[in-house]
């Protein structure tokens, strides 16, 4: 599971954006928040810090990897939505997520 998540994060981090709004985005994902919650955490370092919820899952076994990955990728999409990117840059990042949201 971890290599698949790392691949998605690497592809997002190295994606060429036409009009990036932040040099750094820090994202915390926690199952202590509701799945559709996304909070901005203020800071003084010109960094966008976001914290999103994650769907609580009782089954964390490899048999449930696809659901866990899909839940994690959904939270990354939520964070991207809150980054203030252009529509084209947002769609580019969403495409990266879609390409990686499948079994195999």
């Amino acid at each position: 599971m971890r290599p698949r998540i790392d691949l998605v994060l690497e592809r997002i981090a190295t994606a060429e954006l036409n009009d990036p709004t932040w040099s750094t985005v820090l994202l915390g994902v926690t199952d202590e928040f509701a799945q559709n919650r996304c909070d901005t955490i203020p800071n003084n370092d010109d960094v966008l810090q976001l914290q999103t919820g994650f769907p609580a899952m009782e089954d964390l076994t490899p048999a449930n990897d696809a659901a866990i990955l899909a839940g994690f990728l959904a939270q990354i999409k939520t964070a991207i939505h809150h980054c203030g990117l252009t529509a084209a840059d947002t769609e580019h990042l969403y495409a990266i997520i879609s390409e990686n949201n499948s079994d195999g």
Side-chain angles (χ1 to χ4, degrees):
M1 176 60 99
R2 180 65 185 248
R4 291 179 73 183
I5 291 171
D6 286 345
L7 175 65
V8 175
L9 295 177
E10 181 180 330
R11 291 197 62 213
I12 289 171
T14 59
E16 293 288 330
L17 301 179
N18 295 322
D19 190 21
T21 54
W22 304 92
S23 61
T24 305
V25 176
L26 299 175
L27 173 61
V29 179
T30 178
D31 62 0
E32 294 177 11
F33 286 0
Q35 181 176 349
N36 55 358
R37 179 175 169 181
C38 185
D39 295 345
T40 301
I41 302 167
N43 67 66
N44 296 322
D45 298 322
D46 195 32
V47 172
L48 178 61
Q49 285 183 251
L50 299 170
Q51 188 163 5
T52 67
F54 186 81
M57 296 191 183
E58 293 181 22
D59 181 4
L60 298 177
T61 66
N64 200 33
D65 279 357
I68 294 168
L69 180 62
F72 182 74
L73 295 177
Q75 297 320 104
I76 293 176
K77 282 182 80 169
T78 297
I80 290 168
H81 175 76
H82 284 83
C83 285
L85 298 170
T86 64
D89 285 345
T90 297
E91 289 305 315
H92 178 61
L93 295 177
Y94 284 176
I96 290 170
I97 291 169
S98 293
E99 290 167 7
N100 290 278
N101 192 14
S102 62
D103 288 332

